[in-house]
Amino acid sequence: MNKFWPTFNLTYMQKVKSKSFIIMTAIFMIFIFALSNVDKIIDLFDNSSKTVAIQTDNDMIYNVLEKQYKQSDDIKKVEKVSLEKGKKGVKDKKYKRLIQVNVKGEKVDGTIYEKGSVSESEKMRLQSTLSQMQSSLTAQKLNLSEDDLKTLNTPSDVKTEEIKSSDEKQTSDINPKVQALNTAVVYIIIFLSFFIAINYANQIGSEIATEKTTRVIEMIITSVKPSIHVSAKILAIIAVAFTQIFFIILAIVISIFAFDLKGLFESAGVEYGPETTRIIIYGAVYLILGVISYISLAAILGALTSRIEDLAQSMMPVTFVSLGAFYIAIFSISNPDTMLVKVTSFIPLLSPMVMLLRTTSETTPEWHLILGIVISVITSIVLLVFAAKTYRGSVLTYEKGIIKNLKNALNITK
């Protein structure tokens, strides 16, 4: 072990002090801080007015619209103006928009004036409000009471009940806002898993292949056992990956305690719940196991590469497997209960990303998630051990082709 630490420390310090590591870690942290303050950043660059002008001769309609718009997050003030003043204010960017409402008998019509195009959501919101007012005016003419009008406008109730098997969770109604945040968290962790795994897998593969093809390893193994040398290399790269993950988590923790995320969540229409904490914990575990698995596999492929020019081709299995897991998870994020997701969530190397997706589903039994962790742990251990063995047997073999080198490595290690 006294020869393990010098190799470990040298590799670790070289990677941590490299410009690429510092720049990428800084970019991740800045992105997290920016995302935590996206509402403030938007307000900083948003020069549009926060005032809505309303033109109507009906005081009841004005009061209703004033109350509605004051509850909106992007509106700070409501003014009652004439049509000419309102149009001029919109043109001069004094008003965000002008709402004109005309009442002819029981008919209520509205017009929205804006500097740019009017969004469909804004049109639907005004239409819904004016339709309710029109119904009230019609009810007054027909001498209908408020209770009669309420009964006419009350929609029918449609309930849903999901029948589940005995091994599935029995909870059903998850707050849609919490579910939206859970999905976003899973999406971010899957993206991080893919990026970090590919990045450090390529680094360890290049590190080992370069030593082998430049014949530097022939001098190294005269003083250090190949298995100890490659183990130190692999664990050093894993430690570098964990260091970057630590800084990312640190940025998230700082954002939670230093910035007001409650307002951001409200403006985004999401909400933090107990399930979110559970998903974050599973996400951290699967992220770590995925990184270890892909780095170990890349170390094996790097050791079996005879020429540095063939490294890209040798790393294709890592690229294809990681892309497969990434695309299955991303394209199934809105429906994590498909048969494809269920089957691939138990396949080694695919499990860390795909099983994480299943944490957002209520129908996923807890033991499935735990089994996914067990599969990933076993896969990581097997790959680490196999990496040490194949490196010891392939370190001095220079035949072309991964298959030939693998056969030679296995024959030598017997």
Short mmCIF file of all heavy atoms in Angstrom, two decimals, residues 130-162:
data_model
loop_
_atom_site.label_atom_id
_atom_site.label_comp_id
_atom_site.label_asym_id
_atom_site.label_seq_id
_atom_site.Cartn_x
_atom_site.Cartn_y
_atom_site.Cartn_z
N LEU A 130 -64.58 37.05 -18.21
CA LEU A 130 -65.72 37.75 -18.80
C LEU A 130 -66.92 36.82 -18.99
O LEU A 130 -68.07 37.25 -18.90
CB LEU A 130 -65.32 38.36 -20.14
CG LEU A 130 -64.23 39.45 -20.07
CD1 LEU A 130 -64.00 40.06 -21.45
CD2 LEU A 130 -64.60 40.54 -19.07
N SER A 131 -66.67 35.55 -19.25
CA SER A 131 -67.77 34.59 -19.40
C SER A 131 -68.52 34.43 -18.08
O SER A 131 -69.77 34.33 -18.07
CB SER A 131 -67.22 33.23 -19.84
OG SER A 131 -66.63 33.32 -21.12
N GLN A 132 -67.82 34.41 -16.98
CA GLN A 132 -68.48 34.33 -15.68
C GLN A 132 -69.31 35.58 -15.41
O GLN A 132 -70.44 35.49 -14.89
CB GLN A 132 -67.43 34.15 -14.58
CG GLN A 132 -66.70 32.82 -14.62
CD GLN A 132 -65.61 32.71 -13.57
OE1 GLN A 132 -65.48 33.57 -12.70
NE2 GLN A 132 -64.82 31.66 -13.64
N MET A 133 -68.78 36.75 -15.78
CA MET A 133 -69.54 37.99 -15.61
C MET A 133 -70.79 38.00 -16.49
O MET A 133 -71.87 38.44 -16.08
CB MET A 133 -68.66 39.19 -15.95
CG MET A 133 -67.48 39.38 -15.03
SD MET A 133 -66.47 40.78 -15.54
CE MET A 133 -65.14 40.68 -14.34
N GLN A 134 -70.63 37.49 -17.71
CA GLN A 134 -71.76 37.42 -18.63
C GLN A 134 -72.85 36.50 -18.08
O GLN A 134 -74.04 36.79 -18.19
CB GLN A 134 -71.27 36.93 -19.99
CG GLN A 134 -72.31 37.01 -21.09
CD GLN A 134 -71.71 36.78 -22.46
OE1 GLN A 134 -71.19 37.68 -23.08
NE2 GLN A 134 -71.79 35.54 -22.92
N SER A 135 -72.44 35.41 -17.48
CA SER A 135 -73.42 34.50 -16.86
C SER A 135 -74.14 35.18 -15.71
O SER A 135 -75.36 35.00 -15.53
CB SER A 135 -72.70 33.24 -16.35
OG SER A 135 -72.10 32.55 -17.40
N SER A 136 -73.43 35.99 -14.94
CA SER A 136 -74.06 36.71 -13.82
C SER A 136 -75.09 37.71 -14.32
O SER A 136 -76.19 37.83 -13.75
CB SER A 136 -72.99 37.44 -12.99
OG SER A 136 -72.08 36.52 -12.43
N LEU A 137 -74.76 38.43 -15.41
CA LEU A 137 -75.71 39.39 -15.97
C LEU A 137 -76.95 38.70 -16.52
O LEU A 137 -78.07 39.18 -16.36
CB LEU A 137 -75.02 40.21 -17.06
CG LEU A 137 -73.90 41.15 -16.61
CD1 LEU A 137 -73.22 41.80 -17.81
CD2 LEU A 137 -74.43 42.22 -15.67
N THR A 138 -76.74 37.56 -17.18
CA THR A 138 -77.87 36.79 -17.71
C THR A 138 -78.74 36.28 -16.57
O THR A 138 -79.99 36.28 -16.67
CB THR A 138 -77.35 35.61 -18.55
OG1 THR A 138 -76.51 36.10 -19.58
CG2 THR A 138 -78.50 34.83 -19.16
N ALA A 139 -78.11 35.83 -15.50
CA ALA A 139 -78.86 35.33 -14.35
C ALA A 139 -79.71 36.43 -13.71
O ALA A 139 -80.84 36.20 -13.28
CB ALA A 139 -77.90 34.75 -13.32
N GLN A 140 -79.15 37.65 -13.66
CA GLN A 140 -79.91 38.77 -13.10
C GLN A 140 -81.14 39.07 -13.94
O GLN A 140 -82.22 39.35 -13.41
CB GLN A 140 -79.01 40.01 -13.02
CG GLN A 140 -77.92 39.91 -11.97
CD GLN A 140 -77.00 41.10 -11.97
OE1 GLN A 140 -77.23 42.08 -12.70
NE2 GLN A 140 -75.94 41.05 -11.17
N LYS A 141 -80.99 38.99 -15.26
CA LYS A 141 -82.13 39.26 -16.14
C LYS A 141 -83.21 38.21 -15.99
O LYS A 141 -84.42 38.50 -16.05
CB LYS A 141 -81.65 39.31 -17.59
CG LYS A 141 -82.76 39.65 -18.57
CD LYS A 141 -82.24 39.73 -19.99
CE LYS A 141 -83.38 40.06 -20.96
NZ LYS A 141 -82.91 40.12 -22.36
N LEU A 142 -82.80 36.95 -15.78
CA LEU A 142 -83.77 35.85 -15.64
C LEU A 142 -84.24 35.67 -14.20
O LEU A 142 -84.96 34.70 -13.90
CB LEU A 142 -83.13 34.54 -16.13
CG LEU A 142 -82.73 34.51 -17.62
CD1 LEU A 142 -82.00 33.22 -17.94
CD2 LEU A 142 -83.97 34.66 -18.51
N ASN A 143 -83.82 36.60 -13.32
CA ASN A 143 -84.20 36.54 -11.90
C ASN A 143 -83.77 35.24 -11.23
O ASN A 143 -84.48 34.68 -10.38
CB ASN A 143 -85.72 36.72 -11.74
CG ASN A 143 -86.19 38.10 -12.16
OD1 ASN A 143 -85.50 39.10 -11.92
ND2 ASN A 143 -87.36 38.17 -12.81
N LEU A 144 -82.59 34.75 -11.64
CA LEU A 144 -82.05 33.55 -10.99
C LEU A 144 -81.26 33.96 -9.75
O LEU A 144 -80.58 34.98 -9.74
CB LEU A 144 -81.11 32.80 -11.94
CG LEU A 144 -81.75 32.21 -13.22
CD1 LEU A 144 -80.66 31.58 -14.08
CD2 LEU A 144 -82.81 31.18 -12.87
N SER A 145 -81.38 33.16 -8.71
CA SER A 145 -80.64 33.44 -7.49
C SER A 145 -79.18 33.02 -7.67
O SER A 145 -78.83 32.33 -8.63
CB SER A 145 -81.24 32.67 -6.32
OG SER A 145 -81.10 31.27 -6.51
N GLU A 146 -78.36 33.43 -6.72
CA GLU A 146 -76.95 33.06 -6.78
C GLU A 146 -76.76 31.56 -6.66
O GLU A 146 -75.88 30.97 -7.28
CB GLU A 146 -76.18 33.78 -5.67
CG GLU A 146 -76.04 35.28 -5.88
CD GLU A 146 -75.15 35.93 -4.83
OE1 GLU A 146 -74.55 35.17 -4.03
OE2 GLU A 146 -75.05 37.16 -4.82
N ASP A 147 -77.63 30.93 -5.86
CA ASP A 147 -77.54 29.47 -5.70
C ASP A 147 -77.88 28.76 -7.00
O ASP A 147 -77.25 27.76 -7.37
CB ASP A 147 -78.49 29.00 -4.60
CG ASP A 147 -78.03 29.45 -3.22
OD1 ASP A 147 -76.82 29.73 -3.08
OD2 ASP A 147 -78.86 29.54 -2.29
N ASP A 148 -78.90 29.30 -7.72
CA ASP A 148 -79.26 28.70 -9.01
C ASP A 148 -78.11 28.83 -10.01
O ASP A 148 -77.79 27.88 -10.74
CB ASP A 148 -80.51 29.38 -9.58
CG ASP A 148 -81.75 29.11 -8.73
OD1 ASP A 148 -81.77 28.07 -8.05
OD2 ASP A 148 -82.67 29.95 -8.74
N LEU A 149 -77.48 30.00 -10.03
CA LEU A 149 -76.37 30.23 -10.94
C LEU A 149 -75.18 29.34 -10.59
O LEU A 149 -74.51 28.79 -11.46
CB LEU A 149 -75.95 31.70 -10.89
CG LEU A 149 -74.80 32.11 -11.82
CD1 LEU A 149 -75.16 31.87 -13.28
CD2 LEU A 149 -74.42 33.57 -11.60
N LYS A 150 -74.95 29.18 -9.28
CA LYS A 150 -73.85 28.33 -8.84
C LYS A 150 -74.07 26.88 -9.25
O LYS A 150 -73.15 26.18 -9.66
CB LYS A 150 -73.71 28.44 -7.32
CG LYS A 150 -72.49 27.72 -6.76
CD LYS A 150 -72.38 27.94 -5.27
CE LYS A 150 -71.15 27.22 -4.71
NZ LYS A 150 -71.03 27.42 -3.25
N THR A 151 -75.33 26.45 -9.15
CA THR A 151 -75.66 25.08 -9.54
C THR A 151 -75.46 24.86 -11.03
O THR A 151 -74.93 23.83 -11.47
CB THR A 151 -77.12 24.76 -9.16
OG1 THR A 151 -77.30 24.94 -7.76
CG2 THR A 151 -77.47 23.33 -9.54
N LEU A 152 -75.86 25.86 -11.84
CA LEU A 152 -75.70 25.74 -13.29
C LEU A 152 -74.24 25.68 -13.71
O LEU A 152 -73.87 25.00 -14.66
CB LEU A 152 -76.39 26.93 -13.98
CG LEU A 152 -77.92 26.92 -14.00
CD1 LEU A 152 -78.44 28.24 -14.55
CD2 LEU A 152 -78.44 25.76 -14.84
N ASN A 153 -73.40 26.42 -12.99
CA ASN A 153 -71.98 26.51 -13.36
C ASN A 153 -71.10 25.45 -12.70
O ASN A 153 -69.91 25.37 -12.99
CB ASN A 153 -71.43 27.89 -13.01
CG ASN A 153 -72.04 28.98 -13.88
OD1 ASN A 153 -72.39 28.73 -15.02
ND2 ASN A 153 -72.16 30.19 -13.34
N THR A 154 -71.69 24.68 -11.79
CA THR A 154 -70.90 23.66 -11.10
C THR A 154 -70.63 22.47 -12.02
O THR A 154 -71.58 21.85 -12.51
CB THR A 154 -71.61 23.17 -9.84
OG1 THR A 154 -71.84 24.28 -8.97
CG2 THR A 154 -70.78 22.13 -9.11
N PRO A 155 -69.39 22.13 -12.30
CA PRO A 155 -69.10 20.98 -13.17
C PRO A 155 -69.35 19.66 -12.46
O PRO A 155 -69.36 19.58 -11.23
CB PRO A 155 -67.60 21.15 -13.48
CG PRO A 155 -67.07 21.91 -12.30
CD PRO A 155 -68.17 22.81 -11.84
N SER A 156 -69.55 18.62 -13.24
CA SER A 156 -69.75 17.30 -12.66
C SER A 156 -68.44 16.78 -12.08
O SER A 156 -67.36 17.09 -12.56
CB SER A 156 -70.25 16.32 -13.74
OG SER A 156 -71.49 16.78 -14.28
N ASP A 157 -68.56 16.00 -11.02
CA ASP A 157 -67.38 15.42 -10.38
C ASP A 157 -67.02 14.10 -11.04
O ASP A 157 -67.88 13.23 -11.24
CB ASP A 157 -67.62 15.18 -8.88
CG ASP A 157 -67.70 16.48 -8.11
OD1 ASP A 157 -67.05 17.45 -8.54
OD2 ASP A 157 -68.40 16.54 -7.08
N VAL A 158 -65.77 13.96 -11.41
CA VAL A 158 -65.26 12.70 -11.96
C VAL A 158 -64.11 12.25 -11.08
O VAL A 158 -63.08 12.93 -11.01
CB VAL A 158 -64.80 12.86 -13.42
CG1 VAL A 158 -64.22 11.54 -13.93
CG2 VAL A 158 -65.94 13.31 -14.30
N LYS A 159 -64.27 11.15 -10.40
CA LYS A 159 -63.24 10.64 -9.50
C LYS A 159 -62.47 9.51 -10.15
O LYS A 159 -62.99 8.82 -11.04
CB LYS A 159 -63.87 10.17 -8.18
CG LYS A 159 -64.57 11.27 -7.40
CD LYS A 159 -65.17 10.73 -6.12
CE LYS A 159 -65.86 11.84 -5.32
NZ LYS A 159 -66.46 11.33 -4.07
N THR A 160 -61.26 9.31 -9.73
CA THR A 160 -60.44 8.20 -10.23
C THR A 160 -59.93 7.38 -9.05
O THR A 160 -59.65 7.92 -7.99
CB THR A 160 -59.24 8.71 -11.04
OG1 THR A 160 -58.41 9.52 -10.20
CG2 THR A 160 -59.68 9.53 -12.23
N GLU A 161 -59.84 6.11 -9.25
CA GLU A 161 -59.30 5.21 -8.22
C GLU A 161 -58.47 4.15 -8.91
O GLU A 161 -58.95 3.44 -9.79
CB GLU A 161 -60.44 4.57 -7.43
CG GLU A 161 -59.94 3.72 -6.27
CD GLU A 161 -61.07 3.21 -5.39
OE1 GLU A 161 -62.16 3.79 -5.45
OE2 GLU A 161 -60.85 2.22 -4.68
N GLU A 162 -57.22 4.07 -8.51
CA GLU A 162 -56.29 3.13 -9.13
C GLU A 162 -56.20 1.87 -8.30
O GLU A 162 -55.98 1.92 -7.09
CB GLU A 162 -54.91 3.79 -9.26
CG GLU A 162 -53.93 2.96 -10.04
CD GLU A 162 -52.62 3.71 -10.25
OE1 GLU A 162 -52.56 4.91 -9.91
OE2 GLU A 162 -51.65 3.09 -10.72
#
